Amino acid sequence: DDVVITTMNVGHGSCHIIQSAGQTVIIDAGSRSDLDTGTRTIIPKLRNSGTTTIKTIFITHADLDHLVGIIDIIQQYKTEKIVIAPQTLKNTTPLLELIIEVARKCGTQIKSGSAGWTEVVGEMRFAILSPDNRAPYYSSNATSIVLHLQANTRSILFTGDIDETRIAQL
């Protein structure tokens, strides 16, 4: 099956919708410039693509420009789980705490994901390359989840907001 990756134009922010064989995975869903991006931009795209449920939402880190649309999405769509780095779970922000609270009320599982964690969704294989679960917390950006997607013969790295030094190391 084809894998379709849609990188949403959410203004200053990040949202990737990845779909294959009726399965949907989202990496981040935020915008600093449009606090209604979930309702205004992301949900209409999900509706137009025929999405009925979401398998996984990956939160690379807890900055507003990666989070603000998540509550709207999980309230609108049955979402199996949200994956968050352990460092982020230990250093939450008020918005992330609200997302976790709403997610639990909606029946969405909250999972800690660090280097070595993998998930297969249809033809797609997701693997977290960083951070290691023992890595210290310096900042939300420094401990961004780095996610490797392999599908068919293609490979893509989603890096959150890690710096160039960490990208080169990976």
Side-chain angles (χ1 to χ4, degrees):
D1 284 309
D2 288 339
V3 174
V4 176
I5 300 171
T6 305
T7 299
M8 300 294 300
N9 180 0
V10 292
H12 179 123
S14 176
C15 180
H16 308 281
I17 300 170
I18 305 163
Q19 298 174 302
S20 179
Q23 299 280 345
T24 299
V25 172
I26 297 175
I27 302 171
D28 293 333
S31 175
R32 186 173 304 283
S33 55
D34 180 3
L35 299 181
D36 291 321
T37 195
T39 301
R40 193 184 336 260
T41 306
I42 301 168
I43 289 174
K45 173 61 181 169
L46 292 169
R47 274 195 201 110
N48 290 340
S49 71
T51 299
T52 56
T53 61
I54 297 168
K55 179 78 171 167
T56 305
I57 296 175
F58 290 96
I59 294 176
T60 60
H61 62 291
D63 289 350
L64 178 71
D65 59 332
H66 294 258
L67 296 178
V68 77
I70 292 175
I71 289 175
D72 294 331
I73 294 167
I74 61 178
Q75 287 179 327
Q76 192 76 34
Y77 288 93
K78 169 87 174 101
T79 302
E80 186 177 310
K81 68 184 159 305
I82 297 175
V83 178
I84 309 168
Q87 292 84 348
T88 303
L89 285 169
K90 290 178 188 162
N91 296 277
T92 60
T93 61
L95 178 55
L96 182 59
E97 288 174 12
L98 181 59
I99 289 168
I100 291 169
E101 178 184 324
V102 171
R104 289 188 172 133
K105 286 180 183 172
C106 292
T108 300
Q109 299 174 40
I110 303 297
K111 299 281 187 178
S112 177
S114 57
W117 184 94
T118 61
E119 177 176 5
V120 175
V121 179
E123 299 294 319
M124 305 177 289
R125 181 181 184 275
F126 295 89
I128 296 177
L129 304 181
S130 181
D132 181 277
N133 66 355
R134 295 177 307 277
Y137 179 86
Y138 297 111
S139 70
S140 63
N141 287 355
T143 52
S144 287
I145 283 181
V146 175
L147 192 63
H148 178 240
L149 165 60
Q150 188 161 11
N152 305 317
T153 61
R154 304 287 179 154
S155 185
I156 297 177
L157 213 56
F158 296 91
T159 60
D161 282 346
I162 65 170
D163 60 30
E164 293 296 323
T165 303
R166 186 69 183 125
I167 291 172
Q169 291 170 347
L170 289 169

